Amino acid sequence: MRWDRLVDDLEAQFDAEARAELAGQTAELTRAEQAAVVLADRLRATFDPVSVVLGDGSVVTGRVAHVGADWVVVRPEPGRDSGDELVPISAIDVVEGVGVRTRADERMPRLTSVLRALQRDRVLLTIRTRAASTTGRLARVGRDHLDVVEERDRFTGRPRTRVVRLDALLALRESDPHPF
């Protein structure tokens, strides 16, 4: 009888230690999995409205329309007169409205690929940086910069080219070629 209780007690201790070890391993695996998640994966799984605070303090609000490897397109809610904004992930300081779910996709295009497509299609863009805003068409997209050719300088009447560092970009929006 005494041996039965002793063996039962030892088995209970081993079971408790095994459960504690398993719980610790599970918690560690969960932390490791969470450490591998990137913001783009969380944005890709978001269906509710978001508020995206950019590096200059401005806020872009709406729903996540598209997500690439290093960019997101935020579409304003119906009734808002602003258009879709392409925001580099690196320009985001804070996002409100993102859940804990993730959806990874390794095959998403990078920001420079999207910019080259906009260049190819000669889309008129309004480009915001931390320091300024400019409207024009992309003439070149380099590894770390892009050339924006403005329509016409209001003083000289000639096109003016601005070189913008990619890491200075806050947001891009298709511009209306005929605002009036």
Side-chain angles (χ1 to χ4, degrees):
M1 234 1 167
R2 181 171 180 207
W3 291 108
D4 291 340
R5 281 185 298 201
L6 179 66
V7 170
D8 289 345
D9 184 48
L10 288 174
E11 286 178 352
Q13 287 178 18
F14 285 131
D15 287 346
E17 288 175 12
R19 282 193 302 274
E21 185 177 342
L22 180 61
Q25 289 173 348
T26 301
E28 182 59 31
L29 287 172
T30 300
R31 286 190 291 274
E33 185 177 282
Q34 290 171 346
V37 173
V38 295
L39 180 56
D41 293 345
R42 291 187 62 191
L43 288 167
R44 202 172 287 113
T46 300
F47 300 102
D48 293 328
V50 295
S51 293
V52 179
V53 181
L54 303 180
D56 67 345
S58 65
V59 180
V60 177
T61 58
R63 293 190 183 268
V64 174
H66 305 283
V67 182
D70 55 354
W71 55 271
V72 60
V73 172
V74 179
R75 178 165 293 149
E77 294 291 330
R80 305 275 311 259
D81 59 353
S82 60
D84 292 1
E85 293 207 50
L86 178 115
V87 178
I89 299 287
S90 62
I92 297 173
D93 279 1
V94 177
V95 183
E96 295 177 12
V98 174
V100 296
R101 293 181 178 224
T102 65
R103 194 173 84 198
D105 192 341
E106 304 286 325
R107 303 167 295 120
M108 300 308 295
R110 299 201 61 78
L111 177 62
T112 50
S113 298
V114 175
L115 293 172
R116 285 186 186 98
L118 294 168
Q119 173 193 1
R120 177 198 65 219
D121 296 344
R122 302 207 21 85
V123 177
L124 184 63
L125 299 168
T126 298
I127 299 168
R128 289 192 301 135
T129 69
R130 292 182 301 270
S133 179
T134 187
T135 300
R137 299 180 197 284
L138 301 180
R140 284 179 200 82
V141 177
R143 177 191 238 172
D144 64 349
H145 68 282
L146 51 87
D147 290 6
V148 181
V149 177
E150 296 177 335
E151 291 297 291
R152 298 274 177 230
D153 182 280
R154 65 181 188 188
F155 300 112
T156 65
R158 294 183 303 220
R160 180 170 65 168
T161 300
R162 291 187 177 197
V163 178
V164 178
R165 286 188 5 251
L166 290 180
D167 61 357
L169 289 177
L170 291 177
L172 295 90
R173 179 182 329 152
E174 190 170 354
S175 189
D176 184 358
H178 308 290
F180 302 103

